[in-house]
Amino acid sequence: MSMPAFRRTSLRALPVAAALTLVGLAAPAWAHTTLVNSGPAVREEVGTDTNLIALKFGEEVGGSLEVAVLDKDEKPVPVSDAQPAATDGSVVCARVAELEPGVHTVRYEVTSADEHVVRGSYQFTVKEGGSTPETLGCDVSALAEPTKEKALSDQDQSDFPAWAVWTIGGVAVVTAGLAAVAVVRSRREEDDDEVEATDLQE
């Protein structure tokens, strides 16, 4: 006797349900903040009088705030301690020492609202007669003198928690297993239906 149609439908729905569970588990793990604006902007050509790095993220950041600037030779340029803008907790400000012409790299490390460390980097160019970058609400006069040389990691990504890797991997294996079982059972039931139909015709 073949399996009732509603049971076949339930079996076929199991992989879908497992996949939705996978998406639901993965979403929080990937939902870290990202850099949405900056001054200087990415690949912007700014003047030699630039003395501020302003970074705006998609949400408020806190905890450890670190900003580093490297010159064209990858040597750290003195910066001040980074701190949030007085009027916007999603903006991080750091004062930077005099910049020589050439390509510079900004590296940052902040803590997002979900308490995960977010790292990243980008480059801009300093040249005579360059533009004046946006301050994004930062007040350079409120920042300490730039005396600290930092390098930071050049890892351009957010930390991905180990528990999320194991959970997603486990759900993926279960999903594949359920899909295989559902396909095999569905085919068997279709074969049984064909046999029953042939017997009835005879």
Side-chain angles (χ1 to χ4, degrees):
M1 180 178 293
S2 64
M3 181 182 297
F6 77 90
R7 290 192 63 188
R8 285 188 229 168
T9 302
S10 298
L11 277 175
R12 291 169 181 167
L14 283 176
V16 177
L20 291 174
T21 300
L22 174 62
V23 172
L25 288 171
W30 273 304
H32 303 324
T33 189
T34 56
L35 184 69
V36 297
N37 197 4
S38 63
V42 178
R43 294 187 293 275
E44 183 179 7
E45 295 182 342
V46 300
T48 54
D49 58 346
T50 299
N51 60 356
L52 174 70
I53 303 297
L55 308 174
K56 182 174 179 59
F57 296 88
E59 62 184 39
E60 287 194 6
V61 293
S64 175
L65 303 176
E66 297 287 349
V67 174
V69 178
L70 307 181
D71 65 17
K72 61 183 179 180
D73 298 318
E74 294 294 304
K75 295 180 180 179
V77 178
V79 294
S80 68
D81 286 330
Q83 64 182 48
T87 58
D88 190 345
S90 67
V91 175
V92 176
C93 315
R95 192 170 185 174
V96 62
E98 182 178 355
L99 298 172
E100 297 182 355
V103 176
H104 290 69
T105 301
V106 174
R107 293 179 180 172
Y108 57 84
E109 182 177 304
V110 301
T111 303
S112 62
D114 59 3
E115 298 184 352
H116 286 96
V117 176
V118 177
R119 302 184 183 94
S121 64
Y122 73 91
Q123 293 184 320
F124 67 93
T125 300
V126 175
K127 70 173 190 178
E128 294 289 344
S131 62
T132 300
E134 292 186 72
T135 62
L136 303 178
C138 293
D139 180 4
V140 69
S141 65
L143 299 169
E145 290 294 322
T147 58
K148 299 184 178 181
E149 296 183 355
K150 304 178 182 180
L152 298 184
S153 170
D154 60 356
Q155 178 185 12
D156 191 13
Q157 63 182 28
S158 302
D159 285 349
F160 197 75
W163 67 263
V165 175
W166 285 105
T167 301
I168 293 172
V171 174
V173 171
V174 172
T175 300
L178 289 173
V181 170
V183 170
V184 171
R185 290 193 177 184
S186 178
R187 288 178 179 175
R188 285 180 179 175
E189 291 306 318
E190 289 174 358
D191 292 340
D192 289 343
D193 287 345
E194 291 177 2
V195 171
E196 289 180 5
T198 299
D199 291 342
L200 290 174
Q201 291 176 1
E202 295 177 352

